[in-house]
Every structure is written in structure tokens, then in C-alpha cells.
Amino acid sequence: MNLTAVPTFLPDPPVALAPLAGISDLPFRQLVASFGAGWVVSEMVASQDMVQAKPSVRDRAELGFDQSATAVQLAGRDAYWMAEAARMVADNGAAVIDINMGCPAKKVTGGLSGSALLRTPDHALSLIEAVVNAVDIPVTLKTRLGWDDDSLNAPDVARRAQDAGIALVTIHGRTRCQFYKGSADWAAIRRVRDAVTIPVIANGDITDSAAAQAALDQSGADGVMVGRGAQGRPWVLAQICSELYGTAAPEMPEGHAFSDMVSKHYEAMLMFYGSELGLRVARKHLGWYMDVANTPRDLRGAVLTLNNPAKVLSLLPDALIQPAQVAA
């Protein structure tokens, strides 16, 4: 592959949905995209498991190849399997591949994947080179500031990744050892911005337009990635796009519109996962929606414990529409 032919990658507008394990599945990505977002990233997919077609991974990895503005995120520790998985998703129509070097979960880092790769940058670069050389679509990288405060090596890793052909890098403004504690250090991302010429995306604690603007100002980044800030508020990316980049303002769902949106999301999850698993997986999303709606405690408990999807659907209007909205 001719690396000089690899363009940089920066969607317009540069506001992305982060890959969130167990959250940013196909139904949620489609919902976020329906409001308007620069691009969305799939849940992390284990490269070897995908190639070997283990059912649990294949079932979870309906990656929306036919969806526009979607990146598929791959994780792994072996260059061969990373390259094979990259070829597989590219051949299936993926527009962008993202490499996971940021996940802090022990089950991932214990397998020497995710942010553990920050501890072995030479090995990490071998994975990056394998993926970039395997495909002709843009390859991006998501990582953190470093493993801990004594090894803030993101600028060097990003520079080497750029030399290997990476088209964009996203930096979560925490170290791996911070997990999600404390506050994201957006200013520290500027050291990465200064180290490379490819686009840099700032990630971590970006919950609304004000936070997004502050992250851009402090980091000098070219765009932002929203993760937990979208939980229960799938329209927030479109809101940031509108207020920072002048795109059309999303129609904020309230009252019956909010209830209808949540019901449709719930039904989409039941269809995607099957009724039994979907009912359980959807509960966290319903909990976030009810946080937004300030649902009464007893009603919230009923929604989150019922094992009959039809009964859950019947309760959602009462759980999500406040009395004043009903009267209106």
C-alpha cells in the first residue's frame, strides 16, 4: 500500500460518538445518527474473535456496514489477526477502521490490548502498520494520554502512528490508570496536537456545547468525541454540531415525542438482540432516559424490573411524560 496516498480523515462536522462497550450498539448508533452527528464508532470488536466468527462477537458486531459516517473499532494484540479483521470489515463495506488503544478495562489490558499497548509502543506500531497496510480505507487511532502520570507518551505514539499512515487520532484526556476518575485534562491533549499534522479529536467529559468548546480551546483539537454525555441524550451530538458548527438544530424530543423516541429505541433493541437479551440490555438505556425525565422512584423500579417487554412499553409514557406535559 502506498502510504502517501492515505488522506487525512476529518468528518464534517467533526463531532463523533465514542465507542462504548455494551452501549454504542447498532440501535443506539442509528438513533444518534438520526439526529445528526459527524460520525459514530462501533463498539470495540475483538479482531481474532471476529475473524474466527465466535457467535457472541459476530452477533454483537452487526457493524452497520451500510450505514454512512460509521467507523468500525478493532482491538487486539496480534498483528496477523488485526490485519485479517481489517480486511474483513473493509471487504464488507466499512468506511473507516479505528484501532483501540484506549480501553482501560482490566479484561482488555490483561490481554495486552487496549490501553495496555501504550506500555509497548513498538508492538503497538506493528499492529498499526499491519492494519494500515491491509486496507485502502482510512485508519484512525483512539488512545489515552499514557498508561500513568509517569508515562505520558501519547505525543510520541501519535507521531509514530502518523508516520505509519494513521489518518486521525482521538485522545481521551486521562491516563489508563485514571480510568474515568477525576476530570479529563483537555490541555494535555495540546501536546499531541503539537506533535502531529493529522487531525486530533479531544475526548473525555464532553457533555454539551460549552464543554465541547472548552475542550477545543484548551486542546487545540480539530473536533470532539462524545461518550457518556450521550447516555439518555442521543440528540446531544447534533446539538453540539448545531451550536459549534452551524448545522441544522435538532428537534429536541419532549413529552410524547420523547416517550415515542424511547419506545422505538426499546423496540429496536428487542429486535436486534432478541426479546430476552434485549430486555436486559435495554435497561441501562431506560435508566438514563428516566434520569432525564426525573421519573418517580416506584415507576422507575417497575420499568427496570419487569420481564415482559409489552408491559415495559405500556409503562413508558407514564414514566417519561411529566403531568404538566400530558396536560399540554
Side-chain angles (χ1 to χ4, degrees), residues 286-291 295-305 319:
L286 295 180
W288 294 321
Y289 288 133
M290 289 189 288
D291 288 343
T295 303
R297 188 173 181 178
D298 57 341
L299 194 49
R300 178 190 182 92
V303 169
L304 296 181
T305 55

Side-chain angles (χ1 to χ4, degrees), residues 31-50:
L31 179 57
V32 170
S34 72
F35 282 97
W39 85 106
V40 298
V41 185
S42 77
E43 293 178 89
M44 174 184 66
V45 179
S47 55
Q48 182 173 349
D49 290 352
M50 165 175 269

Side-chain angles (χ1 to χ4, degrees), residues 102-274:
C103 181
K106 291 181 180 178
K107 66 180 180 180
V108 176
T109 59
L112 305 180
S113 298
S115 56
L117 292 168
L118 287 163
R119 305 181 79 177
T120 56
D122 289 345
H123 178 58
L125 263 293
S126 74
L127 304 184
I128 291 170
E129 289 169 351
V131 172
V132 169
N133 287 321
V135 298
D136 291 313
I137 59 176
V139 179
T140 63
L141 175 69
K142 187 173 191 295
T143 188
R144 288 182 169 231
L145 297 174
W147 178 259
D148 57 28
D149 288 338
D150 294 325
S151 57
L152 300 175
N153 60 343
D156 182 61
V157 168
R159 187 184 306 109
R160 296 178 67 185
Q162 173 181 272
D163 292 344
I166 285 293
L168 170 149
V169 61
T170 299
I171 304 293
H172 184 117
R174 289 181 174 86
T175 65
R176 182 273 175 182
C177 289
Q178 283 182 272
F179 286 86
Y180 296 98
K181 297 176 182 177
S183 299
D185 188 350
W186 299 324
I189 297 173
R190 186 173 287 275
R191 292 194 289 273
V192 177
R193 171 65 286 167
D194 292 342
V196 298
T197 58
I198 56 175
V200 174
I201 302 297
N203 176 226
D205 296 348
I206 297 172
T207 55
D208 54 26
S209 299
Q213 187 62 65
L216 292 170
D217 291 344
Q218 293 178 36
S219 67
D222 303 280
V224 295
M225 179 172 278
V226 181
R228 290 171 294 165
Q231 294 172 354
R233 302 185 304 150
W235 56 83
V236 74
L237 280 83
Q239 198 170 28
I240 293 171
C241 289
S242 173
E243 295 179 10
L244 269 59
Y245 298 101
T247 60
E251 197 167 318
M252 305 289 290
E254 297 180 347
H256 291 284
F258 182 57
S259 175
D260 289 346
M261 181 204 76
V262 175
S263 295
K264 289 177 181 176
H265 184 196
Y266 185 66
E267 290 173 330
M269 295 190 75
L270 296 175
M271 183 176 295
F272 181 71
Y273 290 104

Side-chain angles (χ1 to χ4, degrees), residues 54-75:
K54 292 184 179 180
S56 61
V57 174
R58 182 55 60 84
D59 291 345
R60 183 165 52 88
E62 282 205 34
L63 299 172
F65 294 123
D66 60 340
Q67 308 291 314
S68 62
T70 298
V72 175
Q73 189 183 71
L74 299 178

Side-chain angles (χ1 to χ4, degrees), residues 70-121:
T70 298
V72 175
Q73 189 183 71
L74 299 178
R77 62 179 178 178
D78 184 280
Y80 172 80
W81 293 114
M82 288 289 283
E84 288 298 300
R87 291 189 188 97
M88 176 179 288
V89 298
D91 288 346
N92 278 279
V96 180
I97 292 172
D98 187 61
I99 297 175
N100 183 308
M101 275 182 59
C103 181
K106 291 181 180 178
K107 66 180 180 180
V108 176
T109 59
L112 305 180
S113 298
S115 56
L117 292 168
L118 287 163
R119 305 181 79 177
T120 56

